[in-house]
Amino acid sequence: MSGIEGKVVAITGASSGIGAATAAYLAERGARLVLGARREDRLKEVVDGILARGGTAAGVVMDVTRRDGLTLLTDTALDRFGRLDVLVSNAGTMAVSPFDELRQDDWDAMVATHITGLLNGVGAALPVFRRQGSGHFVNVASTAAYVVKTPQGVYAATKTAVKVLTEGLRQESGPDLRVTLVSPGLTDTEGVGKGASPETAEAMTRLRDEIGAPPSAVAAAIGFAIGQPDGVDISEVVVRPTAQA
Ligand SMILES: NC(=O)c1ccc[n+]([C@@H]2O[C@H](COP(=O)([O-])OP(=O)(O)OC[C@H]3O[C@@H](n4cnc5c(N)ncnc54)[C@H](OP(=O)(O)O)[C@@H]3O)[C@@H](O)[C@H]2O)c1
């Protein structure tokens, strides 16, 4: 199946930011969506917006750090649409802080969301893709997977893990599956600075407001990868503001 139209796409972290923009972008092009996140009200707004514009979408309240969250997402795709063509693992947290603040709960959340969450997606979707003989993993990392900037050590480490896991998965995926890494730079979303230590949050949101790329740019990069013909894999995309150092 080529193009975007008709594809069944599950997206984690679809209640805001890049995930919500990707959902809107793909819905406009005829994808059938299964959208996951924890905040039910925000997820409902995204789903309702897509339905109001004539698109097809279902919302699933789920947590990527739990295996059953991802199986709920993939099971919903199979129950509603009979298949799953793409899993976009996008859920993330940017609660960054200097090591001296010892925000261990935030460190744990980044590891659980970015690494365990990604692996939970592989666990839920890979058997489905193998049965179908087709499928596409799209994993959202960050430019922090390429350059470490203080105080983003833990965040950068977990996003580097996303990059490494994605390449390992690609090498094992064989000729029938596709695996794409999309690494955004600074993007204008509510997640920038959310939960970060106050000084860092202020600096991050100021820079976001000055130079942040629109989340629709990342959505378009994801859509580009999904829209390729069978047998063509866009393995890696970095999309960032021109002004980002
Ligand atoms: N914005 C940037 O500058 C930037 C740059 C590079 C990479 N990224 C990456 O892009 C991705 C999306 O971030 P964003 O900028 O769009 O920020 P965002 O608006 O805060 O979006 C994050 C999404 O992840 C969801 N999420 C967080 N933890 C979750 C969990 N445990 N289970 C399920 N969903 C969870 C959130 O929904 P709920 O809270 O409702 O669960 C939300 O929908 C992240 O992986 C982020 O690291 C962002």
Side-chain angles (χ1 to χ4, degrees):
M1 194 192 270
S2 294
I4 292 173
E5 190 168 7
K7 278 194 176 151
V8 178
V9 184
I11 305 174
T12 69
S15 59
S16 61
I18 290 167
T22 302
Y25 182 96
L26 297 174
E28 275 167 29
R29 288 155 182 80
R32 297 173 288 169
L33 300 170
V34 182
L35 304 178
R38 295 165 303 179
R39 290 170 299 174
E40 189 168 10
D41 53 338
R42 295 293 300 275
L43 192 59
K44 189 173 179 313
E45 272 176 39
V46 175
V47 171
D48 288 349
I50 289 170
L51 297 178
R53 291 190 297 275
T56 306
V60 177
V61 176
M62 50 82 77
D63 185 332
V64 297
T65 67
R66 297 173 53 101
R67 286 185 196 173
D68 59 7
L70 267 301
T71 44
L72 186 59
L73 197 72
T74 54
D75 284 352
T76 303
L78 297 176
D79 291 347
R80 282 287 299 268
F81 305 116
R83 57 185 295 110
L84 176 68
D85 296 299
V86 187
L87 173 63
V88 181
S89 287
N90 162 75
T93 166
M94 292 172 273
V96 299
S97 54
F99 283 104
D100 273 318
E101 290 188 11
L102 298 178
R103 294 192 180 207
Q104 288 183 258
D105 288 344
D106 293 342
W107 303 345
D108 289 349
M110 284 187 262
V111 170
T113 310
H114 303 152
I115 302 179
T116 308
L118 182 75
L119 293 173
N120 287 341
V122 173
L126 187 57
V128 178
F129 291 168
R130 291 291 188 213
R131 267 199 311 276
Q132 291 175 169
S134 68
H136 189 174
F137 290 100
V138 178
N139 297 334
V140 176
S142 166
T143 47
Y146 298 81
V147 181
V148 187
K149 289 191 178 163
T150 184
Q152 299 185 4
V154 178
Y155 179 75
T158 59
K159 289 299 188 176
T160 302
V162 170
K163 182 162 158 266
V164 171
L165 291 168
T166 302
E167 175 57 12
L169 183 61
R170 189 193 66 74
Q171 289 178 20
E172 290 182 29
S173 63
D176 298 329
L177 307 193
R178 303 197 291 177
V179 183
T180 300
L181 182 76
V182 175
S183 293
L186 194 58
T187 308
D188 187 5
T189 70
E190 66 182 50
V192 175
K194 192 168 163 186
S197 53
E199 251 179 50
T200 308
E202 207 208 309
M204 286 173 78
T205 50
R206 199 179 333 111
L207 193 61
R208 175 200 64 194
D209 295 345
E210 279 168 25
I211 69 161
S216 57
V218 184
I222 292 171
F224 176 70
I226 292 174
Q228 294 303 307
D230 277 349
V232 176
D233 185 40
I234 301 295
S235 306
E236 202 163 325
V237 181
V238 181
V239 49
R240 64 184 141 209
T242 49
Q244 182 172 330

